[in-house]
Amino acid sequence: MGYVKTGRHLLGAHKARSFRIRPSQPRMMAKQDPAAGGDAKVALAGSTLRMGVCMRAPYSYKTASDESPDPYASNNSPWTGFAVQTFELLARNQSINIQFVEGTYEQHVKNMEKGDVDSIVSGMFLTRDVRQKYSKWGFTHSFWQSGISILVPVKKGNNAFVAIITNAEMWVSIFLIVASIVVFGHIYWVLERESDKDSVYNQDGEFEAGVVPHGYFEGVFMGMWWSAATMTTVGYGDVFPKTHKGRACGCCIAFVCMVLVAIFVGSITTAMTVSAVGDTDSGINSVKDLDGMKVGVLAGTMCDSFMTKHSKADLVRVQLMGDAVDALAKGKIAAIVGVTDVLRYQSVKHAGTSKIVGFPFHQHGLVWPFNDKSSNVRALGGAKPMADAVSAALLALEDAQSLDVIVQSYFADH
């Protein structure tokens, strides 16, 4: 398998182990199916295909310099990934030679239109728009299916102390508790005060238990003391209502302040929990929530087309997913809309800084396209016969369960 590099240098690849990728297993399986897809092998054997390859992890990506290259690639190609390994397995079983041509996804689509590459190894999602735009192309049987998801940054919470003192709900509950103490303290004083001041004190000159002074400051202060003790369910017993009206007041403050204290304690607990988890809600759960926001998409992809038609977001088109992830981390965009598998890979790679929200939508199959403008494809009978032959080989591998190890290596958590 040859390896050709065109265009500018692509994003540095991520190590395979970060996404449950174990390249050795599927590549070992590749040697175990020499007879799969025999009918297609007659048409494809000995042919050389120029396959466009781009950074589109986990479908296709470059191994890092400290990792071993594909042991089965004749030219030690640094490219790997789910789609790459799947096509390499198919190619080995059909005796097809592969020449990888490096570039961006958008470049490869243009190159296919001109016939400069035979197909895109990372695949193309077969949407209705793609069928209509490239009606003369041939498309293989789907080798994987995925949808669109939204990636948002994880907003870190403050430390526990800052989170508590900046919690607006807590300060509102404190204000209501203090106001309740003052109000009910006055009510208690009005209802329980003694007109005969001499009855307020006992023979030792101390306040008689349960008796409220007639004077405003002494009486209200005692009423507030009683309100605070009742509200916090302390109940020292030094002050208590003696009249029916006073006891009715006590019932009211008990029930009212149960709610206020619950709100107060709940607000502190919430602030501490959010601080410990370190993640606050972004407010984004669907495409509609992105209206008016800057949103990153890969140019020329299914996601770009979908967002252009169905969203009022301010789209920021990039060539590489790494550029979009960097923009998200720096706050230049509010979210990234992309293929679910690709975004899941990025969320694992950048654990703790981003997360996928909502559920995947707009599901479509991932296929390999072929175009008659390619001389190689024409020599093999044309785009649609070529796609049919590759599909037959792919279906034979699926029937023999030869792809199971590759699928499990990349998508074991699906």
Side-chain angles (χ1 to χ4, degrees):
M1 300 179 188
Y3 171 65
V4 177
K5 178 178 178 182
T6 61
R8 64 191 183 92
H9 181 66
L10 294 178
L11 175 69
H14 179 52
K15 294 186 178 181
R17 58 180 175 270
S18 299
F19 198 69
R20 300 190 184 182
I21 296 172
R22 301 180 291 279
S24 59
Q25 293 181 347
R27 298 191 190 284
M28 289 174 63
M29 176 65 77
K31 288 190 172 183
Q32 300 174 6
D33 301 288
D39 293 339
K41 189 171 183 178
V42 176
L44 301 176
S47 59
T48 299
L49 296 180
R50 297 165 300 174
M51 303 294 292
V53 64
C54 58
M55 287 299 299
R56 205 180 184 193
Y59 303 133
S60 58
Y61 63 95
K62 258 183 176 179
T63 53
S65 57
D66 60 343
E67 292 184 281
S68 300
D70 180 357
Y72 293 98
S74 60
N75 201 28
N76 288 331
S77 167
W79 287 95
T80 187
F82 170 69
V84 172
Q85 291 190 21
T86 300
F87 198 85
E88 284 178 348
L89 171 59
L90 184 150
R92 282 189 292 275
N93 287 332
Q94 302 304 316
S95 301
I96 302 173
N97 299 313
I98 302 176
Q99 185 182 55
F100 286 131
V101 180
E102 185 177 335
T104 65
Y105 179 82
E106 193 173 29
Q107 286 172 349
H108 291 321
V109 173
K110 293 178 180 178
N111 288 337
M112 275 203 64
E113 292 176 329
K114 295 185 293 184
D116 292 340
V117 295
D118 303 323
S119 187
I120 304 173
V121 72
S122 57
M124 174 182 286
F125 283 98
L126 191 56
T127 64
R128 183 176 64 178
D129 290 342
V130 169
R131 284 186 179 276
Q132 292 176 348
K133 186 174 182 179
Y134 306 113
S135 58
K136 294 184 179 180
W137 288 16
F139 299 100
T140 67
H141 172 72
S142 171
F143 64 90
W144 187 248
Q145 185 167 341
S146 189
I148 299 175
S149 291
I150 304 171
L151 188 73
V152 299
V154 171
K155 297 181 179 179
K156 294 292 184 181
N158 298 314
N159 62 57
F161 177 74
V162 175
I164 291 173
I165 65 174
T166 57
N167 190 300
E169 189 179 74
M170 182 197 71
W171 289 109
V172 171
S173 62
I174 289 176
F175 171 78
L176 293 176
I177 289 172
V178 173
S180 298
I181 291 174
V182 174
V183 171
F184 281 104
H186 279 77
I187 294 175
Y188 180 82
W189 171 67
V190 170
L191 297 176
E192 293 289 319
R193 63 183 173 176
E194 292 286 343
S195 58
D196 185 2
K197 190 174 181 180
D198 293 336
S199 64
V200 174
Y201 300 94
N202 59 22
Q203 58 185 1
D204 297 325
E206 298 175 344
F207 284 118
E208 188 71 33
V211 180
V212 179
H214 181 73
Y216 176 77
F217 290 106
E218 287 181 329
V220 169
F221 183 78
M222 181 172 286
M224 291 172 60
W225 166 256
W226 168 82
S227 297
T230 303
M231 179 183 300
T232 56
T233 66
V234 174
Y236 287 108
D238 56 339
V239 181
F240 54 88
K242 299 175 69 176
T243 67
H244 294 303
K245 293 179 180 179
R247 289 167 182 168
C249 175
C251 291
C252 291
I253 191 173
F255 285 107
V256 169
C257 291
M258 247 194 322
V259 176
L260 295 179
V261 171
I263 295 174
F264 173 71
V265 174
S267 63
I268 293 179
T269 303
T270 301
M272 294 180 68
T273 302
V274 170
S275 175
V277 173
D279 183 7
T280 56
D281 186 15
S282 63
I284 299 174
N285 292 293
S286 67
V287 172
K288 291 184 179 180
D289 297 329
L290 298 173
D291 289 352
M293 298 183 179
K294 287 185 177 294
V295 178
V297 294
L298 285 180
T301 61
M302 167 181 71
C303 305
D304 185 358
S305 176
F306 178 86
M307 291 297 291
T308 301
K309 285 187 174 183
H310 302 283
S311 175
K312 297 179 181 178
D314 182 8
L315 299 183
V316 178
R317 293 175 173 85
V318 296
Q319 294 295 329
L320 299 173
M321 180 57 69
D323 295 340
V325 172
D326 289 342
L328 186 69
K330 294 176 182 178
K332 295 180 179 180
I333 56 177
I336 300 174
V337 173
V339 176
T340 302
D341 297 324
V342 175
L343 296 187
R344 185 178 287 114
Y345 179 91
Q346 293 297 332
S347 67
V348 172
K349 179 180 177 181
H350 303 280
T353 61
S354 59
K355 65 177 182 179
I356 292 178
V357 295
F359 296 95
F361 53 93
H362 203 56
Q363 300 273 345
H364 287 285
L366 191 61
V367 302
W368 289 304
F370 294 95
N371 186 9
D372 281 329
K373 289 199 174 181
S374 164
S375 58
N376 289 340
V377 173
R378 286 198 307 271
L380 291 167
K384 294 184 179 179
M386 178 71 183
D388 290 342
V390 173
S391 296
L394 179 63
L395 289 170
L397 291 176
E398 291 180 354
D399 291 342
Q401 298 183 337
S402 302
L403 301 179
D404 290 354
V405 176
I406 301 178
V407 172
Q408 291 171 9
S409 296
Y410 286 89
F411 308 113
D413 58 344
H414 273 44

Short mmCIF file of all heavy atoms in Angstrom, two decimals, residues 143-190:
data_model
loop_
_atom_site.label_atom_id
_atom_site.label_comp_id
_atom_site.label_asym_id
_atom_site.label_seq_id
_atom_site.Cartn_x
_atom_site.Cartn_y
_atom_site.Cartn_z
N PHE A 143 -21.11 0.55 5.75
CA PHE A 143 -20.28 -0.23 6.66
C PHE A 143 -20.36 0.26 8.09
O PHE A 143 -19.80 -0.34 9.00
CB PHE A 143 -18.82 -0.25 6.18
CG PHE A 143 -18.13 1.10 6.17
CD1 PHE A 143 -17.46 1.56 7.28
CD2 PHE A 143 -18.15 1.90 5.03
CE1 PHE A 143 -16.81 2.79 7.28
CE2 PHE A 143 -17.50 3.12 5.01
CZ PHE A 143 -16.84 3.57 6.13
N TRP A 144 -21.09 1.36 8.33
CA TRP A 144 -21.33 1.86 9.69
C TRP A 144 -22.44 2.89 9.63
O TRP A 144 -22.72 3.46 8.57
CB TRP A 144 -20.07 2.47 10.30
CG TRP A 144 -20.22 2.84 11.74
CD1 TRP A 144 -20.23 4.09 12.29
CD2 TRP A 144 -20.37 1.94 12.85
NE1 TRP A 144 -20.38 4.03 13.65
CE2 TRP A 144 -20.46 2.72 14.02
CE3 TRP A 144 -20.43 0.55 12.96
CZ2 TRP A 144 -20.63 2.15 15.28
CZ3 TRP A 144 -20.59 -0.01 14.21
CH2 TRP A 144 -20.69 0.78 15.36
N GLN A 145 -23.10 3.12 10.74
CA GLN A 145 -24.17 4.11 10.80
C GLN A 145 -23.99 4.98 12.02
O GLN A 145 -23.66 4.50 13.11
CB GLN A 145 -25.54 3.42 10.86
CG GLN A 145 -26.71 4.40 10.78
CD GLN A 145 -28.03 3.71 10.52
OE1 GLN A 145 -28.06 2.58 10.05
NE2 GLN A 145 -29.12 4.37 10.80
N SER A 146 -24.19 6.25 11.83
CA SER A 146 -24.07 7.19 12.94
C SER A 146 -24.95 8.40 12.67
O SER A 146 -25.55 8.53 11.60
CB SER A 146 -22.60 7.61 13.15
OG SER A 146 -22.45 8.35 14.35
N GLY A 147 -25.03 9.29 13.64
CA GLY A 147 -25.87 10.47 13.49
C GLY A 147 -25.09 11.74 13.84
O GLY A 147 -23.86 11.76 13.83
N ILE A 148 -25.83 12.78 14.15
CA ILE A 148 -25.26 14.08 14.49
C ILE A 148 -25.49 14.35 15.97
O ILE A 148 -26.55 14.05 16.51
CB ILE A 148 -25.89 15.20 13.64
CG1 ILE A 148 -25.63 14.95 12.15
CG2 ILE A 148 -25.35 16.56 14.04
CD1 ILE A 148 -26.31 15.96 11.23
N SER A 149 -24.50 14.92 16.62
CA SER A 149 -24.61 15.30 18.03
C SER A 149 -24.03 16.68 18.24
O SER A 149 -23.47 17.28 17.31
CB SER A 149 -23.89 14.28 18.93
OG SER A 149 -24.57 13.04 18.94
N ILE A 150 -24.17 17.18 19.46
CA ILE A 150 -23.69 18.52 19.82
C ILE A 150 -22.66 18.39 20.94
O ILE A 150 -22.92 17.74 21.95
CB ILE A 150 -24.85 19.42 20.28
CG1 ILE A 150 -25.93 19.49 19.19
CG2 ILE A 150 -24.35 20.81 20.62
CD1 ILE A 150 -27.20 20.18 19.64
N LEU A 151 -21.51 19.00 20.74
CA LEU A 151 -20.45 19.01 21.75
C LEU A 151 -20.35 20.41 22.35
O LEU A 151 -20.25 21.40 21.63
CB LEU A 151 -19.11 18.63 21.11
CG LEU A 151 -17.93 18.42 22.07
CD1 LEU A 151 -18.10 17.11 22.83
CD2 LEU A 151 -16.60 18.40 21.31
N VAL A 152 -20.42 20.49 23.67
CA VAL A 152 -20.34 21.78 24.37
C VAL A 152 -19.21 21.73 25.38
O VAL A 152 -18.81 20.66 25.83
CB VAL A 152 -21.67 22.12 25.08
CG1 VAL A 152 -22.80 22.22 24.07
CG2 VAL A 152 -22.00 21.08 26.15
N PRO A 153 -18.69 22.90 25.79
CA PRO A 153 -17.62 22.90 26.79
C PRO A 153 -18.19 22.60 28.17
O PRO A 153 -19.35 22.89 28.46
CB PRO A 153 -17.07 24.33 26.71
CG PRO A 153 -18.22 25.14 26.21
CD PRO A 153 -19.00 24.24 25.28
N VAL A 154 -17.38 22.00 29.01
CA VAL A 154 -17.74 21.78 30.41
C VAL A 154 -17.36 23.03 31.18
O VAL A 154 -16.19 23.41 31.21
CB VAL A 154 -17.01 20.55 30.98
CG1 VAL A 154 -17.22 20.45 32.49
CG2 VAL A 154 -17.51 19.28 30.31
N LYS A 155 -18.36 23.66 31.76
CA LYS A 155 -18.11 24.88 32.53
C LYS A 155 -17.77 24.50 33.96
O LYS A 155 -18.58 23.93 34.68
CB LYS A 155 -19.34 25.79 32.48
CG LYS A 155 -19.68 26.28 31.09
CD LYS A 155 -20.87 27.20 31.11
CE LYS A 155 -21.20 27.71 29.70
NZ LYS A 155 -22.38 28.60 29.71
N LYS A 156 -16.57 24.83 34.35
CA LYS A 156 -16.11 24.50 35.69
C LYS A 156 -16.79 25.37 36.74
O LYS A 156 -16.96 26.57 36.58
CB LYS A 156 -14.59 24.69 35.80
CG LYS A 156 -13.79 23.73 34.94
CD LYS A 156 -13.94 22.32 35.46
CE LYS A 156 -13.07 21.36 34.65
NZ LYS A 156 -13.22 19.98 35.13
N GLY A 157 -17.15 24.75 37.85
CA GLY A 157 -17.75 25.47 38.96
C GLY A 157 -16.66 26.12 39.82
O GLY A 157 -15.47 25.81 39.71
N ASN A 158 -17.06 27.05 40.70
CA ASN A 158 -16.12 27.70 41.61
C ASN A 158 -15.80 26.76 42.77
O ASN A 158 -16.40 25.70 42.92
CB ASN A 158 -16.73 28.99 42.15
CG ASN A 158 -17.03 29.99 41.05
OD1 ASN A 158 -16.19 30.20 40.19
ND2 ASN A 158 -18.20 30.59 41.07
N ASN A 159 -14.84 27.16 43.63
CA ASN A 159 -14.61 26.36 44.82
C ASN A 159 -15.82 26.50 45.75
O ASN A 159 -16.66 27.38 45.58
CB ASN A 159 -13.31 26.78 45.52
CG ASN A 159 -13.37 28.23 45.99
OD1 ASN A 159 -14.25 28.61 46.75
ND2 ASN A 159 -12.39 29.02 45.55
N ALA A 160 -15.90 25.61 46.73
CA ALA A 160 -17.11 25.50 47.55
C ALA A 160 -17.47 26.83 48.23
O ALA A 160 -18.63 27.24 48.23
CB ALA A 160 -16.92 24.41 48.59
N PHE A 161 -16.47 27.52 48.81
CA PHE A 161 -16.76 28.76 49.53
C PHE A 161 -17.30 29.83 48.60
O PHE A 161 -18.32 30.49 48.89
CB PHE A 161 -15.48 29.25 50.22
CG PHE A 161 -15.65 30.56 50.93
CD1 PHE A 161 -16.35 30.64 52.13
CD2 PHE A 161 -15.14 31.73 50.39
CE1 PHE A 161 -16.53 31.85 52.77
CE2 PHE A 161 -15.30 32.95 51.03
CZ PHE A 161 -16.01 33.01 52.23
N VAL A 162 -16.64 30.00 47.45
CA VAL A 162 -17.09 31.01 46.48
C VAL A 162 -18.47 30.65 45.95
O VAL A 162 -19.33 31.51 45.76
CB VAL A 162 -16.08 31.13 45.32
CG1 VAL A 162 -16.60 32.07 44.24
CG2 VAL A 162 -14.73 31.62 45.85
N ALA A 163 -18.70 29.36 45.70
CA ALA A 163 -19.99 28.91 45.18
C ALA A 163 -21.11 29.23 46.15
O ALA A 163 -22.22 29.60 45.76
CB ALA A 163 -19.95 27.42 44.89
N ILE A 164 -20.83 29.10 47.46
CA ILE A 164 -21.86 29.34 48.47
C ILE A 164 -22.16 30.83 48.59
O ILE A 164 -23.33 31.25 48.57
CB ILE A 164 -21.43 28.76 49.83
CG1 ILE A 164 -21.43 27.23 49.77
CG2 ILE A 164 -22.36 29.24 50.95
CD1 ILE A 164 -20.86 26.57 50.99
N ILE A 165 -21.12 31.65 48.72
CA ILE A 165 -21.35 33.08 48.97
C ILE A 165 -21.87 33.80 47.73
O ILE A 165 -22.41 34.91 47.84
CB ILE A 165 -20.08 33.78 49.49
CG1 ILE A 165 -18.99 33.76 48.43
CG2 ILE A 165 -19.62 33.15 50.79
CD1 ILE A 165 -17.74 34.56 48.81
N THR A 166 -21.74 33.19 46.56
CA THR A 166 -22.26 33.82 45.34
C THR A 166 -23.59 33.22 44.90
O THR A 166 -24.08 33.54 43.83
CB THR A 166 -21.24 33.68 44.19
OG1 THR A 166 -20.94 32.28 43.98
CG2 THR A 166 -19.96 34.43 44.50
N ASN A 167 -24.17 32.37 45.74
CA ASN A 167 -25.45 31.75 45.43
C ASN A 167 -26.58 32.70 45.76
O ASN A 167 -26.86 32.98 46.93
CB ASN A 167 -25.59 30.44 46.21
CG ASN A 167 -26.78 29.62 45.75
OD1 ASN A 167 -27.91 30.09 45.81
ND2 ASN A 167 -26.52 28.40 45.31
N ALA A 168 -27.25 33.20 44.72
CA ALA A 168 -28.31 34.20 44.93
C ALA A 168 -29.49 33.62 45.70
O ALA A 168 -30.11 34.30 46.53
CB ALA A 168 -28.77 34.73 43.57
N GLU A 169 -29.81 32.37 45.44
CA GLU A 169 -30.95 31.74 46.11
C GLU A 169 -30.73 31.67 47.62
O GLU A 169 -31.66 31.85 48.40
CB GLU A 169 -31.15 30.34 45.55
CG GLU A 169 -32.41 29.65 46.00
CD GLU A 169 -32.58 28.28 45.39
OE1 GLU A 169 -31.85 27.36 45.82
OE2 GLU A 169 -33.41 28.13 44.48
N MET A 170 -29.49 31.46 48.04
CA MET A 170 -29.19 31.40 49.46
C MET A 170 -29.42 32.75 50.13
O MET A 170 -30.02 32.84 51.22
CB MET A 170 -27.74 30.96 49.68
CG MET A 170 -27.35 30.83 51.14
SD MET A 170 -25.57 30.79 51.40
CE MET A 170 -25.13 32.50 51.02
N TRP A 171 -28.97 33.83 49.47
CA TRP A 171 -29.14 35.17 50.06
C TRP A 171 -30.61 35.57 50.11
O TRP A 171 -31.04 36.26 51.05
CB TRP A 171 -28.32 36.19 49.27
CG TRP A 171 -26.86 36.02 49.49
CD1 TRP A 171 -25.93 35.56 48.60
CD2 TRP A 171 -26.14 36.29 50.70
NE1 TRP A 171 -24.68 35.51 49.16
CE2 TRP A 171 -24.78 35.96 50.45
CE3 TRP A 171 -26.49 36.77 51.96
CZ2 TRP A 171 -23.80 36.10 51.42
CZ3 TRP A 171 -25.50 36.90 52.93
CH2 TRP A 171 -24.18 36.57 52.66
N VAL A 172 -31.39 35.15 49.13
CA VAL A 172 -32.82 35.43 49.18
C VAL A 172 -33.47 34.71 50.35
O VAL A 172 -34.29 35.28 51.08
CB VAL A 172 -33.50 35.00 47.85
CG1 VAL A 172 -35.02 35.08 47.98
CG2 VAL A 172 -33.03 35.88 46.72
N SER A 173 -33.09 33.45 50.57
CA SER A 173 -33.66 32.70 51.69
C SER A 173 -33.24 33.29 53.03
O SER A 173 -34.03 33.33 53.98
CB SER A 173 -33.25 31.23 51.60
OG SER A 173 -31.84 31.09 51.70
N ILE A 174 -31.99 33.78 53.13
CA ILE A 174 -31.54 34.42 54.37
C ILE A 174 -32.36 35.67 54.65
O ILE A 174 -32.78 35.93 55.79
CB ILE A 174 -30.03 34.76 54.29
CG1 ILE A 174 -29.20 33.48 54.34
CG2 ILE A 174 -29.63 35.71 55.42
CD1 ILE A 174 -27.71 33.71 54.17
N PHE A 175 -32.59 36.46 53.60
CA PHE A 175 -33.39 37.68 53.78
C PHE A 175 -34.81 37.35 54.27
O PHE A 175 -35.34 38.00 55.18
CB PHE A 175 -33.47 38.44 52.45
CG PHE A 175 -34.45 39.59 52.47
CD1 PHE A 175 -34.11 40.79 53.07
CD2 PHE A 175 -35.70 39.47 51.89
CE1 PHE A 175 -35.02 41.85 53.11
CE2 PHE A 175 -36.61 40.51 51.91
CZ PHE A 175 -36.27 41.71 52.53
N LEU A 176 -35.41 36.33 53.67
CA LEU A 176 -36.77 35.95 54.07
C LEU A 176 -36.80 35.40 55.49
O LEU A 176 -37.76 35.65 56.25
CB LEU A 176 -37.32 34.90 53.10
CG LEU A 176 -37.57 35.39 51.67
CD1 LEU A 176 -38.01 34.23 50.79
CD2 LEU A 176 -38.63 36.50 51.66
N ILE A 177 -35.76 34.67 55.90
CA ILE A 177 -35.70 34.14 57.27
C ILE A 177 -35.59 35.27 58.28
O ILE A 177 -36.30 35.31 59.30
CB ILE A 177 -34.52 33.16 57.41
CG1 ILE A 177 -34.81 31.87 56.63
CG2 ILE A 177 -34.24 32.84 58.87
CD1 ILE A 177 -33.63 30.93 56.55
N VAL A 178 -34.68 36.23 58.01
CA VAL A 178 -34.51 37.37 58.91
C VAL A 178 -35.80 38.19 58.98
O VAL A 178 -36.24 38.62 60.06
CB VAL A 178 -33.32 38.24 58.47
CG1 VAL A 178 -33.26 39.52 59.30
CG2 VAL A 178 -32.03 37.46 58.59
N ALA A 179 -36.41 38.42 57.82
CA ALA A 179 -37.66 39.18 57.79
C ALA A 179 -38.75 38.46 58.58
O ALA A 179 -39.54 39.10 59.30
CB ALA A 179 -38.11 39.39 56.34
N SER A 180 -38.81 37.14 58.48
CA SER A 180 -39.81 36.37 59.22
C SER A 180 -39.58 36.47 60.72
O SER A 180 -40.54 36.59 61.51
CB SER A 180 -39.76 34.90 58.79
OG SER A 180 -40.07 34.77 57.43
N ILE A 181 -38.31 36.43 61.13
CA ILE A 181 -38.00 36.56 62.57
C ILE A 181 -38.47 37.90 63.10
O ILE A 181 -39.08 38.00 64.18
CB ILE A 181 -36.48 36.38 62.79
CG1 ILE A 181 -36.07 34.93 62.52
CG2 ILE A 181 -36.09 36.78 64.21
CD1 ILE A 181 -34.58 34.69 62.59
N VAL A 182 -38.20 38.97 62.36
CA VAL A 182 -38.60 40.31 62.79
C VAL A 182 -40.12 40.45 62.81
O VAL A 182 -40.71 40.93 63.79
CB VAL A 182 -37.98 41.37 61.86
CG1 VAL A 182 -38.51 42.77 62.22
CG2 VAL A 182 -36.46 41.35 61.96
N VAL A 183 -40.78 40.02 61.74
CA VAL A 183 -42.24 40.16 61.65
C VAL A 183 -42.94 39.34 62.73
O VAL A 183 -43.80 39.86 63.48
CB VAL A 183 -42.74 39.75 60.26
CG1 VAL A 183 -44.27 39.68 60.23
CG2 VAL A 183 -42.23 40.73 59.21
N PHE A 184 -42.59 38.08 62.87
CA PHE A 184 -43.24 37.22 63.86
C PHE A 184 -42.86 37.61 65.29
O PHE A 184 -43.62 37.40 66.23
CB PHE A 184 -42.90 35.75 63.59
CG PHE A 184 -43.71 35.14 62.50
CD1 PHE A 184 -43.16 34.93 61.25
CD2 PHE A 184 -45.04 34.79 62.71
CE1 PHE A 184 -43.90 34.36 60.22
CE2 PHE A 184 -45.79 34.23 61.68
CZ PHE A 184 -45.23 34.01 60.43
N GLY A 185 -41.65 38.20 65.45
CA GLY A 185 -41.27 38.72 66.78
C GLY A 185 -42.19 39.84 67.21
O GLY A 185 -42.61 39.92 68.37
N HIS A 186 -42.53 40.73 66.28
CA HIS A 186 -43.48 41.82 66.58
C HIS A 186 -44.88 41.27 66.87
O HIS A 186 -45.55 41.71 67.80
CB HIS A 186 -43.53 42.80 65.42
CG HIS A 186 -42.41 43.79 65.40
ND1 HIS A 186 -41.14 43.47 64.99
CD2 HIS A 186 -42.37 45.11 65.76
CE1 HIS A 186 -40.35 44.54 65.07
NE2 HIS A 186 -41.08 45.56 65.55
N ILE A 187 -45.30 40.32 66.04
CA ILE A 187 -46.64 39.76 66.24
C ILE A 187 -46.75 39.08 67.61
O ILE A 187 -47.74 39.25 68.34
CB ILE A 187 -46.97 38.76 65.11
CG1 ILE A 187 -47.06 39.48 63.76
CG2 ILE A 187 -48.27 38.01 65.40
CD1 ILE A 187 -47.24 38.56 62.57
N TYR A 188 -45.71 38.32 67.97
CA TYR A 188 -45.71 37.63 69.25
C TYR A 188 -45.78 38.63 70.40
O TYR A 188 -46.50 38.43 71.38
CB TYR A 188 -44.45 36.77 69.35
CG TYR A 188 -44.35 36.00 70.64
CD1 TYR A 188 -45.03 34.80 70.81
CD2 TYR A 188 -43.57 36.47 71.70
CE1 TYR A 188 -44.95 34.09 71.99
CE2 TYR A 188 -43.48 35.78 72.89
CZ TYR A 188 -44.18 34.58 73.03
OH TYR A 188 -44.09 33.90 74.22
N TRP A 189 -44.99 39.70 70.27
CA TRP A 189 -44.99 40.72 71.34
C TRP A 189 -46.37 41.35 71.50
O TRP A 189 -46.86 41.54 72.62
CB TRP A 189 -43.95 41.78 71.00
CG TRP A 189 -44.01 42.99 71.90
CD1 TRP A 189 -43.72 43.05 73.23
CD2 TRP A 189 -44.41 44.30 71.51
NE1 TRP A 189 -43.91 44.32 73.72
CE2 TRP A 189 -44.34 45.13 72.67
CE3 TRP A 189 -44.81 44.88 70.31
CZ2 TRP A 189 -44.66 46.48 72.65
CZ3 TRP A 189 -45.12 46.23 70.29
CH2 TRP A 189 -45.05 47.01 71.44
N VAL A 190 -47.01 41.68 70.36
CA VAL A 190 -48.33 42.30 70.42
C VAL A 190 -49.34 41.36 71.06
O VAL A 190 -50.19 41.78 71.88
CB VAL A 190 -48.80 42.70 69.00
CG1 VAL A 190 -50.27 43.13 69.01
CG2 VAL A 190 -47.94 43.82 68.45
#
